[in-house]
Amino acid sequence: MQDNATEVTAAGIARLAGVGRAAVSNWRRRHADFPRPVGGTETSPAFALAEVEEWLRRHRKLAEVPLKERVWQQLAGHPDGPVTALVHAGCALLLIHERPPVWLDISSGTDERLAALLPTALDEVLTPRVPGTARTDRSRVNGQPPVNTPPAATPANPATPATPATPATSATPALAIPTAPRLLPSVPLLRGVAELAADRGARPTFEFLLGRHLDANPRQYTLTPPDLAGLMAALVGTPATVLDPSCGTGALLRAVADRPDRRLHAQDSSPELAALTALRLALHTRAPVHAAAGDTLRADAYPGLRADAVLCHPPFNERNWGHDDLAYDPRWEYGFPARTESELAWVQHALARLRDGGTAVLLMPPAVASRRSGRRIRADLLRRGALRAVVALPAGAAPPYSVPLHLWVLRRPDRTHAQPELLLVDAGRFTAEGRGGPDWPGVRETVLDAWGAFDRDGGVEERPGVARSVPVIELLDDDVDLTPARRLPPPTDTDGAGRLADVRARLDETLRLTAELAPPPAEPVPSAASGRLPLTTVGELARAGALVMRTGGHGGRARVPVLTDHDVLAGTAPSGTLPESEEEPVLTEPGDVVLPVLGGGAVARVVDEATAGAVLGRNLVLLRPDPAALDAWFLAGFLRGTANHRQASSYASTATRLDVRRLQLPRLAPDEQRRYGERFRALDAFERALREAGRLGEQLVRGMYDGLTDGTIAPD
């Protein structure tokens, strides 16, 4: 069967052929036999993948399609959408993982035979691994014919598509066995997936395809980062029965430590995410995976469950959570949540699904700890010993990355505490500078050490600014504010004055160095010698072979440090990341000149040994000069000229974009280039010293203010 139904965009064609999108546009204009669009829009047409591959081979523009890229293009261009394709691929991979001889047998014949035999084989695998799997495929996704998930529901997880939908009134199985007619268009994809699994393994293949889909749709999904999922799972230990009522893509349940008798329960209001979670977990563990689709608060799939642990990353600030429909729900044991307190509804749902003594860990926005509308529920959670710990995470731990989120650790009361206390932990000091994310080893060690001691002994030794167990009676005031930073004593810095003295000494040394590096007084060029030098452009130099120009990409084959436009502007080390893809990354080398193309700043950075080897990020252009023709510092210096940038920039209503090819520099002999280059190198050293002096000065001022206000430094 020909894969004529799979479509590919111009960007996909460019990836297949290893060229830029401009080349694809040129092919369409110059070649009358280029395949005609079969879908998409006028501005973003889609083409039949099989026709495109045949054309590329006929014109010798495609030697071989990489297997991973072919499979991804088949998945992304599936006629029923990428989610349907992912589910079908996941089902086939589970069969390959569980019963490889069965797959080899049914895939040895025609496509029609494979599609006809696959539903029965899937039934034998999915039913024991994902109990409750539906036997028929009756659902619809995005208005398309039946896929294998129930109708779309209101998102019960921030990792669901952003478009709201009608809430489901009942939970339904997350998976349904796809029928032969539904599988037939997916057969070419499934064969490619099987070939990829033979090389990589079934589980890594599904993780690759799922990760590629999530990376391709970053605005549709809000995920739980793996480090955070691991911390939340570690807080509940090794429970036998675990529930995630807002499972998203299953990151939290996937992080739970394995044990022989483990049972996993998942639910999400997005049918597509519930299905993907069921398949992901079934591939990851031997434990039975109970998965359901439906709005958890309105249509709980597990009303009789009493789990050992509940892990949850609920939606934040959700107004339409069921306030008007659930006023008399028995789960509101600690008080009926206000319309603006959806998070407290999730807290009480988690407690209602725990056995006595069971533990729940929920990711919460920090406002839940202090909003006045929730103070009565917070007070009752404290009085009855249900809320055991509040952990303030560093900013950057999870989306939204600018907000320092909280973890709430709860336990369903199985006894009355004589003197109940609440553990407060503030891990904010592990916030990393730049964009690299928090210091997760430090966060994990601090949080788990504090929780382990508190859970074992009922209290912890006070660590100012970090951890403290607070008697509940101290918290039951008019506000019941549980924000850790407001209840912890300030950190005691016994050597604060000594550290500030060290900062002052480094600042003195940096200021001395800055003074030495300051450029000498400028001397005007005599008018007789100030004639205009002959100029050339970067574009002309690139065409002549004097330099190579490369642009930053959108992905790479490995998670290596990425030099971002922010790093270039701030003069800092590479701090970014890019999603994993088959795109060949551009790696920096010593002597390269890197320029940001957005923002209008006249900046050019010469790559040194410390920065070499990083991946070139988005919105950056790299110039690699031929040392025999161009001095790198001479090139970077002239490219920083304000007038040069002005004449090479284009201006939109909200942004400025630099056309690097139009930047100019004079035609000079190598010796004269090096003279300019040495002066530009000295200016760069002076600039870096100024930046370091500013950083140390800010650190000294901040430390002095803190020391004077917390009493660790005397005013005289």
Side-chain angles (χ1 to χ4, degrees):
M1 173 180 172
Q2 286 293 323
D3 187 21
N4 292 322
T6 300
E7 298 177 2
V8 61
T9 64
I13 297 173
R15 283 195 294 269
L16 287 172
V19 298
R21 291 190 58 176
V24 178
S25 299
N26 288 334
W27 294 342
R28 291 185 63 195
R29 288 193 300 266
R30 294 168 50 196
H31 297 275
D33 63 338
F34 193 87
R36 301 297 180 189
V38 297
T41 64
E42 196 171 312
T43 57
S44 181
F47 306 84
L49 177 62
E51 295 179 5
V52 167
E53 289 186 32
E54 194 278 331
W55 186 90
L56 291 173
R57 288 195 179 95
R58 190 168 68 247
H59 288 263
R60 298 182 179 180
K61 299 183 184 298
L62 177 66
E64 181 181 357
V65 180
L67 179 60
K68 286 173 63 175
E69 189 61 38
R70 164 183 276 278
V71 171
W72 168 248
Q73 292 296 342
Q74 289 176 323
L75 188 147
H78 194 282
D80 289 333
V83 174
T84 299
L86 260 177
V87 172
H88 290 179
C91 290
L93 286 168
L94 185 60
L95 176 62
I96 294 168
H97 182 67
E98 295 283 325
R99 301 183 182 181
V102 174
W103 168 261
L104 292 175
D105 177 50
I106 66 175
S107 64
S108 60
T110 64
D111 289 356
E112 289 75 12
R113 178 177 181 270
L114 173 57
L117 296 179
L118 189 53
T120 301
L122 291 178
D123 189 13
E124 296 175 356
V125 171
L126 283 173
T127 301
R129 298 290 288 109
V130 187
T133 297
R135 298 300 179 94
T136 57
D137 189 353
R138 301 183 301 269
S139 58
R140 291 176 178 266
V141 172
N142 298 327
Q144 298 297 324
V147 183
N148 58 351
T149 50
T154 297
N157 189 296
T160 60
T163 304
T166 304
T169 56
S170 61
T172 53
L175 280 173
I177 305 296
T179 61
R182 298 293 295 147
L183 284 168
L184 189 57
S186 299
V187 169
L189 167 67
L190 302 186
R191 293 191 186 278
V193 164
E195 187 179 352
L196 191 58
D199 180 51
R200 300 168 58 95
R203 185 183 302 158
T205 297
F206 187 74
E207 290 295 321
F208 160 71
L209 294 174
L210 176 61
R212 187 82 175 261
H213 173 67
L214 298 176
D215 287 341
N217 301 276
R219 296 186 179 181
Q220 293 186 26
Y221 304 97
T222 301
L223 308 178
T224 307
D227 290 308
L228 175 59
L231 173 61
M232 294 174 66
L235 286 168
V236 300
T238 56
T241 305
V242 191
L243 166 68
D244 185 347
S246 182
C247 63
T249 56
L252 291 174
L253 292 177
R254 188 170 177 265
V256 176
D258 203 357
R259 55 181 289 178
D261 58 343
R262 186 174 66 171
R263 296 181 303 280
L264 303 177
H265 295 75
Q267 182 172 352
D268 200 281
S269 66
S270 167
E272 59 185 45
L273 287 176
L276 294 176
T277 290
L279 291 168
R280 187 183 196 189
L281 294 176
L283 282 164
H284 179 71
T285 177
R286 297 299 306 171
V289 179
H290 303 265
D295 186 326
T296 296
L297 295 181
R298 289 186 175 93
D300 183 14
Y302 313 106
L305 179 66
R306 294 297 176 265
D308 298 314
V310 174
L311 294 170
C312 187
H313 180 170
F316 298 160
N317 305 316
E318 178 65 53
R319 295 299 184 99
N320 186 28
W321 60 267
H323 178 271
D324 296 335
D325 307 325
L326 303 172
Y328 301 103
D329 196 288
R331 288 173 292 183
W332 315 143
E333 188 177 347
Y334 300 87
F336 181 41
R339 188 184 302 276
T340 57
E341 294 287 354
S342 62
E343 297 87 0
L344 292 180
W346 286 98
V347 164
Q348 295 191 75
H349 173 80
L351 286 168
R353 295 296 162 261
L354 286 173
R355 64 166 175 80
D356 290 347
T359 303
V361 180
L362 284 83
L363 183 67
M364 307 287 273
V368 183
S370 58
R371 279 194 299 240
R372 289 189 62 80
S373 54
R375 66 187 185 279
R376 292 185 179 179
I377 295 178
R378 293 196 299 271
D380 208 28
L381 290 169
L382 291 173
R383 289 192 193 97
R384 298 170 62 178
L387 181 57
R388 305 299 295 140
V390 175
V391 177
L393 297 170
Y401 290 107
S402 60
V403 178
L405 301 175
H406 288 181
L407 290 179
W408 282 27
V409 184
L410 303 112
R411 181 160 289 163
R412 185 168 181 83
D414 57 350
R415 59 187 176 87
T416 302
H417 294 266
Q419 294 181 332
E421 295 188 345
L422 176 72
L423 173 65
L424 296 177
V425 180
D426 188 350
R429 66 193 182 104
F430 295 105
T431 300
E433 295 184 4
R435 301 182 180 182
D439 173 13
W440 278 111
V443 173
R444 185 180 177 93
E445 180 181 3
T446 298
V447 173
L448 294 182
D449 284 353
W451 170 249
F454 180 80
D455 192 35
R456 181 180 61 252
D457 305 327
V460 295
E461 183 178 349
E462 183 177 293
R463 296 178 59 190
V466 178
R468 177 192 176 201
S469 53
V470 185
V472 165
I473 193 65
E474 291 186 19
L475 302 169
L476 297 177
D477 51 21
D478 290 340
D479 296 323
V480 197
D481 190 339
L482 308 182
T483 306
R486 295 172 185 162
R487 300 288 182 174
L488 292 172
T492 56
D493 192 351
T494 56
D495 192 34
R499 287 195 302 106
L500 287 180
D502 179 62
V503 172
R504 175 57 189 268
R506 289 163 56 199
L507 176 60
D508 289 342
E509 177 63 22
T510 304
L511 290 173
R512 183 191 61 77
L513 177 63
T514 304
E516 292 178 359
L517 293 173
E523 297 182 2
V525 177
S527 57
S530 61
R532 185 174 179 83
L533 296 172
L535 298 176
T536 186
T537 65
V538 169
E540 291 173 351
L541 291 170
R543 286 191 294 272
L547 58 81
V548 175
M549 187 166 67
R550 304 288 300 276
T551 58
H554 296 270
R557 297 188 179 183
R559 300 271 183 173
V560 298
V562 175
L563 184 68
T564 68
D565 53 348
H566 174 82
D567 300 328
V568 174
L569 292 168
T572 55
S575 64
T577 58
L578 288 176
E580 183 177 358
S581 74
E582 283 298 295
E583 183 176 344
E584 193 68 32
V586 178
L587 302 180
T588 60
E589 297 179 2
D592 289 344
V593 178
V594 180
L595 301 88
V597 296
L598 294 180
V603 176
R605 177 172 174 180
V606 178
V607 175
D608 56 16
E609 294 291 343
T611 310
V615 174
L616 190 69
R618 302 182 184 119
N619 302 320
L620 290 176
V621 170
L622 178 146
L623 303 178
R624 181 164 295 158
D626 179 356
L630 279 175
D631 180 81
W633 285 101
F634 162 79
L635 173 65
F638 272 98
L639 297 187
R640 288 193 59 170
T642 302
N644 202 2
H645 266 250
R646 188 181 299 118
Q647 64 84 27
S649 296
S650 58
Y651 302 92
S653 57
T654 58
T656 302
R657 185 172 187 88
L658 179 69
D659 184 351
V660 176
R661 290 181 176 274
R662 294 171 56 188
L663 288 171
Q664 300 175 336
L665 63 159
R667 298 178 182 271
L668 295 177
D671 289 343
E672 192 67 11
Q673 287 185 31
R674 284 190 285 273
R675 284 185 58 215
Y676 275 99
E678 289 301 319
R679 190 64 180 272
F680 287 137
R681 186 197 293 265
L683 282 174
D684 179 78
F686 175 62
E687 183 180 38
R688 285 188 282 110
L690 282 176
R691 189 180 290 121
E692 176 68 7
R695 188 185 67 81
L696 290 171
E698 290 179 2
Q699 185 176 348
L700 179 62
V701 170
R702 184 172 60 249
M704 290 295 296
Y705 271 111
D706 290 345
L708 288 167
T709 55
D710 63 25
T712 58
I713 296 177
D716 50 2

